[in-house]
Amino acid sequence: MYNVVIARYGEIGIKGRNRYIFEDKLVKNIKNSLKELGKLNVYKQYGRIYIDVEDYDYETIIDEAKKVFGIVALTPAIKLENDYDKLKKAALELVKEKIEFEDVKTFKVESKRTDKSFRLNSMEMSRDIGGYILSNLGDKIKVDVHNPDVKVEAEMRAECAVVYVDKIEGYGGLPIGTNGKAMVLLSGGIDSPVAAWMIAKRGVEIEVIHYHSYPFTSERSKEKVEDLARILSKYCGRIKMHNVNLLPIQKEINKNCKEEEMTIISRRFMMRIAQRVALSRGCNALVTGESIGQVASQTIQGLTVTNSSVDIPVFRPLIAMDKSEIVEFAKKIGTYETSIIPEEDCCTVFLPKNPVTKPKLEKIIKSEENLDVEKLIDEAVENIEVKEIMF
Protein backbone atom coordinates (compact mmCIF):
# COMPACT_ATOMS: atom_id res chain seq x y z
CA MET A 1 0.00 0.00 0.00
CA TYR A 2 2.74 2.46 0.94
CA ASN A 3 4.87 3.77 -1.90
CA VAL A 4 7.18 6.21 -0.06
CA VAL A 5 8.78 6.76 3.32
CA ILE A 6 9.10 10.37 4.43
CA ALA A 7 12.32 11.17 6.31
CA ARG A 8 11.61 14.06 8.64
CA TYR A 9 14.29 16.32 10.04
CA GLY A 10 14.21 18.87 12.86
CA GLU A 11 17.18 21.14 13.50
CA ILE A 12 18.12 21.21 9.84
CA GLY A 13 14.99 23.23 9.16
CA ILE A 14 16.38 26.28 10.99
CA LYS A 15 19.74 26.40 9.22
CA GLY A 16 18.71 29.30 6.99
CA ARG A 17 20.74 29.75 3.83
CA ASN A 18 22.89 26.72 4.72
CA ARG A 19 19.90 24.42 4.97
CA TYR A 20 20.48 22.87 1.56
CA ILE A 21 23.97 21.72 2.64
CA PHE A 22 22.50 19.76 5.55
CA GLU A 23 19.66 18.40 3.41
CA ASP A 24 22.02 17.22 0.69
CA LYS A 25 24.27 15.54 3.26
CA LEU A 26 21.29 13.84 4.88
CA VAL A 27 20.11 12.50 1.52
CA LYS A 28 23.62 11.14 0.85
CA ASN A 29 23.82 9.51 4.30
CA ILE A 30 20.40 7.88 3.86
CA LYS A 31 21.48 6.47 0.50
CA ASN A 32 24.63 5.06 2.08
CA SER A 33 22.68 3.46 4.93
CA LEU A 34 20.34 1.72 2.47
CA LYS A 35 22.79 0.69 -0.25
CA GLU A 36 22.92 -2.93 0.97
CA LEU A 37 19.17 -3.17 0.27
CA GLY A 38 19.54 -2.08 -3.35
CA LYS A 39 19.57 1.15 -5.31
CA LEU A 40 16.69 3.05 -3.75
CA ASN A 41 15.52 6.45 -4.95
CA VAL A 42 16.15 8.98 -2.17
CA TYR A 43 15.42 12.59 -3.03
CA LYS A 44 14.34 15.93 -1.60
CA GLN A 45 11.31 17.77 -2.88
CA TYR A 46 9.99 21.07 -1.57
CA GLY A 47 11.39 20.78 1.95
CA ARG A 48 10.73 17.04 2.22
CA ILE A 49 12.98 14.02 1.87
CA TYR A 50 11.35 10.97 0.30
CA ILE A 51 12.45 7.36 -0.07
CA ASP A 52 10.58 5.49 -2.80
CA VAL A 53 9.83 2.03 -1.43
CA GLU A 54 8.16 0.47 -4.52
CA ASP A 55 8.74 -3.28 -4.19
CA TYR A 56 10.95 -2.97 -1.12
CA ASP A 57 9.89 -3.89 2.39
CA TYR A 58 9.19 -0.46 3.90
CA GLU A 59 9.66 -1.76 7.47
CA THR A 60 13.21 -2.91 6.67
CA ILE A 61 13.94 0.45 5.05
CA ILE A 62 12.68 2.29 8.13
CA ASP A 63 14.67 0.04 10.47
CA GLU A 64 17.89 0.93 8.64
CA ALA A 65 17.16 4.59 7.91
CA LYS A 66 16.18 5.45 11.50
CA LYS A 67 19.84 4.98 12.52
CA VAL A 68 20.82 7.93 10.30
CA PHE A 69 21.56 10.98 12.42
CA GLY A 70 19.53 14.03 11.38
CA ILE A 71 16.27 12.10 11.02
CA VAL A 72 13.74 12.80 13.78
CA ALA A 73 11.00 10.55 12.39
CA LEU A 74 10.18 8.25 9.48
CA THR A 75 6.70 8.01 8.05
CA PRO A 76 5.43 5.33 5.68
CA ALA A 77 3.05 7.16 3.36
CA ILE A 78 0.99 7.03 0.22
CA LYS A 79 2.13 9.68 -2.24
CA LEU A 80 -0.31 10.46 -5.06
CA GLU A 81 -0.82 12.88 -7.87
CA ASN A 82 -2.49 16.11 -6.81
CA ASP A 83 -6.00 14.58 -6.76
CA TYR A 84 -8.25 15.14 -3.75
CA ASP A 85 -10.63 12.24 -4.44
CA LYS A 86 -7.72 9.80 -4.61
CA LEU A 87 -6.39 11.27 -1.36
CA LYS A 88 -9.70 10.58 0.41
CA LYS A 89 -9.81 7.00 -0.88
CA ALA A 90 -6.25 6.38 0.26
CA ALA A 91 -7.07 7.73 3.73
CA LEU A 92 -10.04 5.36 3.90
CA GLU A 93 -7.86 2.38 2.96
CA LEU A 94 -5.32 3.22 5.67
CA VAL A 95 -8.04 3.37 8.32
CA LYS A 96 -9.51 0.06 7.10
CA GLU A 97 -6.09 -1.54 7.49
CA LYS A 98 -5.74 -0.16 11.01
CA ILE A 99 -9.14 -1.52 11.99
CA GLU A 100 -8.33 -4.95 10.57
CA PHE A 101 -4.82 -5.42 11.95
CA GLU A 102 -4.71 -3.23 15.07
CA ASP A 103 -8.35 -3.19 16.17
CA VAL A 104 -8.51 0.60 16.47
CA LYS A 105 -11.82 2.10 17.61
CA THR A 106 -11.33 5.87 17.23
CA PHE A 107 -9.68 8.23 14.78
CA LYS A 108 -8.94 11.87 14.02
CA VAL A 109 -8.03 13.63 10.79
CA GLU A 110 -5.46 16.42 10.61
CA SER A 111 -4.97 18.11 7.26
CA LYS A 112 -2.51 20.50 5.71
CA ARG A 113 -2.99 22.56 2.57
CA THR A 114 0.24 23.94 1.15
CA ASP A 115 -1.41 24.37 -2.25
CA LYS A 116 -3.31 27.59 -1.55
CA SER A 117 -5.20 27.31 -4.82
CA PHE A 118 -7.08 24.26 -3.52
CA ARG A 119 -10.74 25.05 -2.79
CA LEU A 120 -10.82 23.71 0.81
CA ASN A 121 -8.76 25.02 3.72
CA SER A 122 -7.11 22.68 6.22
CA MET A 123 -10.05 22.52 8.66
CA GLU A 124 -12.53 21.93 5.85
CA MET A 125 -10.36 19.14 4.48
CA SER A 126 -10.26 17.44 7.90
CA ARG A 127 -14.04 17.59 8.28
CA ASP A 128 -14.63 16.35 4.75
CA ILE A 129 -12.16 13.44 4.93
CA GLY A 130 -13.41 12.51 8.41
CA GLY A 131 -17.00 12.50 7.15
CA TYR A 132 -16.01 10.34 4.19
CA ILE A 133 -14.36 7.79 6.48
CA LEU A 134 -17.38 7.73 8.82
CA SER A 135 -19.79 7.30 5.90
CA ASN A 136 -17.94 4.14 4.92
CA LEU A 137 -16.84 2.79 8.33
CA GLY A 138 -19.17 4.43 10.82
CA ASP A 139 -20.26 1.09 12.26
CA LYS A 140 -16.63 0.19 13.09
CA ILE A 141 -14.96 3.40 14.21
CA LYS A 142 -15.75 6.72 15.92
CA VAL A 143 -14.19 10.17 15.95
CA ASP A 144 -12.14 11.21 18.98
CA VAL A 145 -10.33 14.53 18.52
CA HIS A 146 -8.61 14.41 21.93
CA ASN A 147 -7.15 10.91 22.27
CA PRO A 148 -7.66 8.93 19.05
CA ASP A 149 -6.32 5.43 18.48
CA VAL A 150 -5.13 6.54 15.05
CA LYS A 151 -4.45 9.96 13.56
CA VAL A 152 -4.85 10.32 9.81
CA GLU A 153 -2.70 13.07 8.34
CA ALA A 154 -3.57 14.29 4.86
CA GLU A 155 -1.76 16.88 2.77
CA MET A 156 -2.62 18.67 -0.44
CA ARG A 157 0.66 19.99 -1.78
CA ALA A 158 1.32 21.83 -5.04
CA GLU A 159 3.28 18.88 -6.44
CA CYS A 160 1.41 15.92 -4.91
CA ALA A 161 -1.05 14.63 -2.32
CA VAL A 162 0.20 12.64 0.68
CA VAL A 163 -1.56 10.64 3.41
CA TYR A 164 -0.14 8.70 6.34
CA VAL A 165 -1.01 7.40 9.81
CA ASP A 166 2.24 6.39 11.53
CA LYS A 167 5.49 8.04 12.62
CA ILE A 168 8.51 6.06 13.78
CA GLU A 169 10.98 8.06 15.84
CA GLY A 170 14.57 8.51 14.71
CA TYR A 171 17.49 9.75 16.80
CA GLY A 172 17.51 13.35 15.55
CA GLY A 173 20.75 15.29 15.66
CA LEU A 174 22.60 16.44 12.55
CA PRO A 175 23.90 14.52 9.52
CA ILE A 176 27.37 13.08 10.03
CA GLY A 177 29.94 15.10 8.12
CA THR A 178 28.37 18.50 8.71
CA ASN A 179 30.27 19.38 11.90
CA GLY A 180 33.89 18.41 11.37
CA LYS A 181 35.81 15.37 12.50
CA ALA A 182 37.04 14.05 15.87
CA MET A 183 39.21 11.25 17.25
CA VAL A 184 37.51 9.10 19.91
CA LEU A 185 39.55 7.30 22.58
CA LEU A 186 37.65 4.01 22.45
CA SER A 187 38.05 1.34 25.13
CA GLY A 188 36.18 -1.90 25.72
CA GLY A 189 34.11 -0.37 28.53
CA ILE A 190 30.58 0.96 28.65
CA ASP A 191 31.31 4.68 28.52
CA SER A 192 33.45 5.51 25.49
CA PRO A 193 31.16 3.87 22.87
CA VAL A 194 28.28 5.96 24.22
CA ALA A 195 30.43 9.10 24.04
CA ALA A 196 31.34 8.26 20.44
CA TRP A 197 27.67 7.79 19.52
CA MET A 198 26.65 11.05 21.17
CA ILE A 199 29.31 13.16 19.45
CA ALA A 200 28.51 11.55 16.09
CA LYS A 201 24.85 12.42 16.60
CA ARG A 202 25.85 16.09 16.46
CA GLY A 203 27.10 15.65 12.91
CA VAL A 204 30.74 14.91 13.78
CA GLU A 205 32.57 12.34 11.67
CA ILE A 206 34.62 10.04 13.92
CA GLU A 207 37.73 7.93 13.86
CA VAL A 208 38.75 5.89 16.91
CA ILE A 209 42.00 5.14 18.68
CA HIS A 210 42.33 2.15 20.99
CA TYR A 211 45.12 1.39 23.48
CA HIS A 212 46.10 -2.14 24.42
CA SER A 213 49.00 -3.74 26.30
CA TYR A 214 49.63 -6.88 24.26
CA PRO A 215 50.80 -9.47 25.30
CA PHE A 216 49.74 -8.47 28.83
CA THR A 217 46.28 -8.03 27.35
CA SER A 218 44.86 -10.56 24.90
CA GLU A 219 43.99 -10.38 21.22
CA ARG A 220 40.42 -11.00 22.25
CA SER A 221 40.35 -7.69 24.17
CA LYS A 222 41.26 -5.90 20.91
CA GLU A 223 38.63 -7.86 19.02
CA LYS A 224 36.04 -6.80 21.60
CA VAL A 225 36.76 -3.13 20.88
CA GLU A 226 36.56 -3.83 17.15
CA ASP A 227 33.14 -5.34 17.79
CA LEU A 228 32.10 -2.14 19.56
CA ALA A 229 33.39 -0.04 16.66
CA ARG A 230 31.43 -2.26 14.30
CA ILE A 231 28.22 -1.61 16.24
CA LEU A 232 28.93 2.12 16.12
CA SER A 233 29.46 1.91 12.37
CA LYS A 234 25.75 1.07 11.99
CA TYR A 235 25.14 4.70 12.92
CA CYS A 236 28.39 6.36 11.83
CA GLY A 237 29.33 4.52 8.65
CA ARG A 238 32.82 3.18 8.00
CA ILE A 239 35.20 3.84 10.94
CA LYS A 240 38.98 3.98 10.78
CA MET A 241 40.45 2.36 13.92
CA HIS A 242 44.00 3.01 15.16
CA ASN A 243 45.37 0.35 17.53
CA VAL A 244 48.24 1.46 19.79
CA ASN A 245 50.34 -0.80 22.01
CA LEU A 246 50.84 1.22 25.19
CA LEU A 247 52.88 -1.44 27.00
CA PRO A 248 56.38 -0.02 26.26
CA ILE A 249 55.29 3.35 27.63
CA GLN A 250 53.69 1.77 30.69
CA LYS A 251 56.88 -0.13 31.45
CA GLU A 252 58.89 3.09 31.32
CA ILE A 253 56.44 4.90 33.58
CA ASN A 254 56.43 1.98 36.03
CA LYS A 255 60.23 1.98 36.14
CA ASN A 256 60.84 5.74 36.36
CA CYS A 257 57.82 7.36 38.07
CA LYS A 258 55.93 7.06 41.32
CA GLU A 259 53.46 4.19 41.48
CA GLU A 260 50.51 6.39 42.45
CA GLU A 261 51.09 8.55 39.33
CA MET A 262 50.94 5.59 36.93
CA THR A 263 47.34 6.11 35.82
CA ILE A 264 47.44 9.87 35.32
CA ILE A 265 50.75 9.84 33.42
CA SER A 266 49.57 6.96 31.24
CA ARG A 267 46.45 8.96 30.51
CA ARG A 268 48.52 11.96 29.47
CA PHE A 269 50.45 9.78 27.03
CA MET A 270 47.19 8.46 25.58
CA MET A 271 46.01 12.01 24.98
CA ARG A 272 49.29 13.09 23.38
CA ILE A 273 49.34 10.10 21.03
CA ALA A 274 45.66 10.61 20.19
CA GLN A 275 46.35 14.26 19.38
CA ARG A 276 49.27 13.35 17.12
CA VAL A 277 47.15 10.86 15.18
CA ALA A 278 44.11 13.16 15.18
CA LEU A 279 45.98 16.05 13.59
CA SER A 280 47.48 13.76 10.94
CA ARG A 281 43.95 12.58 10.09
CA GLY A 282 42.31 16.01 9.90
CA CYS A 283 40.51 15.69 13.24
CA ASN A 284 39.93 18.90 15.19
CA ALA A 285 39.13 17.47 18.62
CA LEU A 286 39.46 14.45 20.91
CA VAL A 287 36.51 12.66 22.49
CA THR A 288 36.55 10.59 25.69
CA GLY A 289 33.98 8.76 27.78
CA GLU A 290 35.04 10.39 31.03
CA SER A 291 32.53 11.45 33.69
CA ILE A 292 33.40 13.55 36.74
CA GLY A 293 34.32 11.42 39.76
CA GLN A 294 33.65 8.04 38.16
CA VAL A 295 37.22 6.77 38.69
CA ALA A 296 40.37 8.12 40.30
CA SER A 297 41.69 9.83 37.18
CA GLN A 298 38.38 11.58 36.50
CA THR A 299 38.36 14.08 39.33
CA ILE A 300 38.36 17.71 38.28
CA GLN A 301 42.04 17.89 39.19
CA GLY A 302 42.78 14.73 37.21
CA LEU A 303 40.91 15.96 34.14
CA THR A 304 42.70 19.31 34.35
CA VAL A 305 46.11 17.61 34.40
CA THR A 306 45.06 15.34 31.52
CA ASN A 307 43.82 18.30 29.44
CA SER A 308 47.10 20.15 29.85
CA SER A 309 48.93 17.46 27.86
CA VAL A 310 47.20 18.44 24.58
CA ASP A 311 46.43 21.61 22.65
CA ILE A 312 43.23 20.66 20.78
CA PRO A 313 39.76 20.59 22.38
CA VAL A 314 38.69 17.53 24.37
CA PHE A 315 34.96 16.78 24.27
CA ARG A 316 33.41 14.72 27.07
CA PRO A 317 29.73 14.16 26.24
CA LEU A 318 29.16 12.08 29.41
CA ILE A 319 30.82 14.50 31.82
CA ALA A 320 27.78 15.02 34.09
CA MET A 321 25.98 11.70 33.57
CA ASP A 322 25.51 9.05 36.25
CA LYS A 323 26.67 5.52 35.50
CA SER A 324 23.09 4.27 35.45
CA GLU A 325 22.22 6.83 32.77
CA ILE A 326 25.19 5.78 30.67
CA VAL A 327 24.23 2.11 31.01
CA GLU A 328 20.70 2.84 29.79
CA PHE A 329 22.11 4.71 26.82
CA ALA A 330 24.46 1.82 26.01
CA LYS A 331 21.50 -0.58 26.03
CA LYS A 332 19.55 1.74 23.75
CA ILE A 333 22.26 1.90 21.07
CA GLY A 334 23.21 -1.78 21.33
CA THR A 335 26.75 -1.60 22.76
CA TYR A 336 26.03 -2.69 26.34
CA GLU A 337 26.07 -6.48 25.90
CA THR A 338 29.45 -6.30 24.17
CA SER A 339 30.90 -3.82 26.67
CA ILE A 340 30.20 -6.06 29.67
CA ILE A 341 32.03 -9.08 28.22
CA PRO A 342 34.86 -9.61 30.76
CA GLU A 343 38.14 -8.77 29.04
CA GLU A 344 41.19 -7.02 30.48
CA ASP A 345 42.30 -3.65 29.09
CA CYS A 346 45.45 -1.56 29.23
CA CYS A 347 44.23 0.39 32.27
CA THR A 348 44.43 -2.76 34.41
CA VAL A 349 48.14 -3.22 33.69
CA PHE A 350 50.42 -1.82 36.45
CA LEU A 351 47.31 -0.54 38.20
CA PRO A 352 48.44 1.32 41.38
CA LYS A 353 46.94 0.36 44.73
CA ASN A 354 46.38 4.00 45.67
CA PRO A 355 46.25 6.18 42.55
CA VAL A 356 46.59 9.91 43.08
CA THR A 357 43.13 11.52 42.90
CA LYS A 358 44.13 15.18 43.17
CA PRO A 359 47.28 15.41 41.08
CA LYS A 360 49.21 18.66 40.85
CA LEU A 361 50.37 19.54 37.36
CA GLU A 362 53.82 20.73 38.41
CA LYS A 363 54.52 17.42 40.20
CA ILE A 364 53.37 15.37 37.22
CA ILE A 365 55.50 17.42 34.83
CA LYS A 366 58.45 16.93 37.18
CA SER A 367 57.93 13.16 37.14
CA GLU A 368 57.71 13.13 33.35
CA GLU A 369 61.22 14.63 33.20
CA ASN A 370 62.42 11.09 33.98
CA LEU A 371 60.97 9.93 30.64
CA ASP A 372 61.91 10.59 27.02
CA VAL A 373 58.37 11.67 26.23
CA GLU A 374 58.77 12.51 22.54
CA LYS A 375 60.71 9.36 21.76
CA LEU A 376 58.09 7.17 23.44
CA ILE A 377 55.31 8.91 21.53
CA ASP A 378 57.19 8.59 18.23
CA GLU A 379 57.72 4.86 18.73
CA ALA A 380 54.09 4.30 19.67
CA VAL A 381 52.83 6.18 16.60
CA GLU A 382 55.26 4.37 14.27
CA ASN A 383 53.85 1.00 15.37
CA ILE A 384 50.15 1.81 15.10
CA GLU A 385 47.96 -0.76 13.38
CA VAL A 386 45.10 0.68 11.32
CA LYS A 387 41.88 -1.12 10.43
CA GLU A 388 38.74 -0.17 8.56
CA ILE A 389 35.63 -1.19 10.50
CA MET A 390 32.24 -1.52 8.81
CA PHE A 391 29.06 -3.16 10.02
Side-chain angles (χ1 to χ4, degrees):
M1 181 180 293
Y2 299 111
N3 59 2
V4 296
V5 170
I6 303 169
R8 300 171 178 273
Y9 52 73
E11 241 179 290
I12 293 173
I14 59 172
K15 292 300 180 183
R17 293 180 181 177
N18 292 325
R19 175 172 163 175
Y20 77 95
I21 298 173
F22 291 82
E23 289 177 333
D24 290 348
K25 190 65 175 176
L26 183 55
V27 168
K28 182 179 179 180
N29 292 352
I30 293 170
K31 286 180 178 178
N32 285 338
S33 76
L34 299 176
K35 64 184 178 183
E36 295 299 322
L37 300 179
K39 194 172 182 180
L40 283 87
N41 187 28
V42 183
Y43 56 99
K44 63 177 184 177
Q45 187 178 62
Y46 299 99
R48 276 277 175 82
I49 293 176
Y50 294 102
I51 307 166
D52 286 341
V53 299
E54 299 176 1
D55 298 327
Y56 296 96
D57 176 3
Y58 77 89
E59 291 178 330
T60 301
I61 289 171
I62 287 173
D63 191 51
E64 292 303 314
K66 73 179 181 182
K67 302 183 185 82
V68 177
F69 294 131
I71 295 176
V72 298
L74 289 149
T75 301
I78 300 173
K79 185 182 178 190
L80 308 156
E81 59 188 278
N82 193 326
D83 185 312
Y84 184 59
D85 288 335
K86 290 182 178 179
L87 177 68
K88 288 168 64 174
K89 290 176 182 177
L92 176 64
E93 290 305 310
L94 287 179
V95 175
K96 281 182 179 177
E97 188 177 74
K98 284 289 183 180
I99 292 171
E100 181 179 355
F101 294 105
E102 299 181 29
D103 194 31
V104 302
K105 302 294 184 185
T106 60
F107 79 103
K108 173 187 179 180
V109 178
E110 286 189 359
S111 302
K112 184 183 294 183
R113 181 193 66 167
T114 60
D115 177 9
K116 300 305 179 184
S117 66
F118 183 61
R119 59 186 174 82
L120 300 177
N121 63 32
S122 297
M123 291 186 65
E124 290 168 341
M125 280 178 61
S126 294
R127 285 196 295 268
D128 185 54
I129 295 170
Y132 178 73
I133 292 170
L134 282 175
S135 67
N136 284 274
L137 301 172
D139 59 330
K140 298 177 181 177
I141 197 166
K142 307 290 184 186
V143 173
D144 184 343
V145 297
H146 300 294
N147 189 31
D149 295 332
V150 62
K151 182 167 69 174
V152 180
E153 299 193 52
E155 301 179 5
M156 284 297 294
R157 305 173 72 88
E159 72 281 3
C160 63
V162 184
V163 61
Y164 46 89
V165 292
D166 293 311
K167 288 181 184 177
I168 295 88
E169 286 188 7
Y171 292 109
L174 294 168
I176 286 179
T178 57
N179 264 328
K181 189 175 177 182
M183 182 68 67
V184 180
L185 280 74
L186 185 68
S187 74
I190 296 171
D191 304 337
S192 58
V194 175
W197 188 93
M198 291 179 74
I199 208 73
K201 181 185 171 185
R202 297 306 303 158
V204 179
E205 183 183 350
I206 65 167
E207 293 193 11
V208 302
I209 188 165
H210 170 62
Y211 297 94
H212 61 88
S213 300
Y214 185 81
F216 285 23
T217 55
S218 67
E219 280 292 333
R220 178 57 198 137
S221 69
K222 281 201 296 182
E223 291 168 3
K224 173 185 172 182
V225 180
E226 289 176 15
D227 290 342
L228 288 169
R230 192 166 290 108
I231 294 169
L232 290 171
S233 73
K234 290 192 296 184
Y235 307 93
C236 307
R238 191 181 304 273
I239 294 175
K240 190 175 288 291
M241 182 173 180
H242 308 266
N243 286 310
V244 182
N245 192 336
L246 198 65
L247 185 58
I249 292 174
Q250 290 175 303
K251 286 180 176 179
E252 287 298 305
I253 297 170
N254 186 57
K255 184 169 64 176
N256 296 291
C257 302
K258 296 176 182 177
E259 181 192 8
E260 65 267 22
E261 296 174 343
M262 181 76 197
T263 301
I264 194 70
I265 294 176
S266 295
R267 193 69 183 168
R268 281 166 60 84
F269 269 95
M270 291 182 193
M271 300 295 277
R272 289 179 178 122
I273 295 166
Q275 176 177 258
R276 179 86 66 87
V277 178
L279 293 176
S280 73
R281 294 293 305 159
C283 299
N284 306 114
L286 304 180
V287 180
T288 79
E290 293 163 308
S291 171
I292 291 178
Q294 192 173 128
V295 296
S297 64
Q298 294 176 22
T299 60
I300 288 179
Q301 295 89 340
L303 295 176
T304 301
V305 171
T306 301
N307 278 2
S308 71
S309 63
V310 294
D311 301 314
I312 62 176
V314 181
F315 297 145
R316 297 179 170 92
L318 314 184
I319 194 66
M321 293 177 68
D322 293 339
K323 192 68 175 186
S324 59
E325 294 175 297
I326 300 169
V327 165
E328 286 306 308
F329 225 112
K331 291 178 179 178
K332 174 183 174 183
I333 66 175
T335 56
Y336 178 74
E337 293 300 327
T338 302
S339 291
I340 61 173
I341 294 171
E343 293 288 347
E344 72 282 5
D345 63 30
C346 68
C347 295
T348 62
V349 178
F350 305 114
L351 187 66
K353 292 180 180 179
N354 298 296
V356 60
T357 58
K358 296 181 180 180
K360 293 188 181 298
L361 180 58
E362 59 272 17
K363 289 186 177 181
I364 298 300
I365 292 174
K366 184 70 175 174
S367 293
E368 287 179 345
E369 291 176 358
N370 298 320
L371 304 166
D372 191 338
V373 173
E374 289 305 313
K375 181 183 177 184
L376 289 169
I377 293 172
D378 288 342
E379 290 174 350
V381 171
E382 286 171 8
N383 291 293
I384 285 177
E385 298 174 352
V386 181
K387 287 191 174 183
E388 293 275 351
I389 305 295
M390 185 66 188
F391 186 73

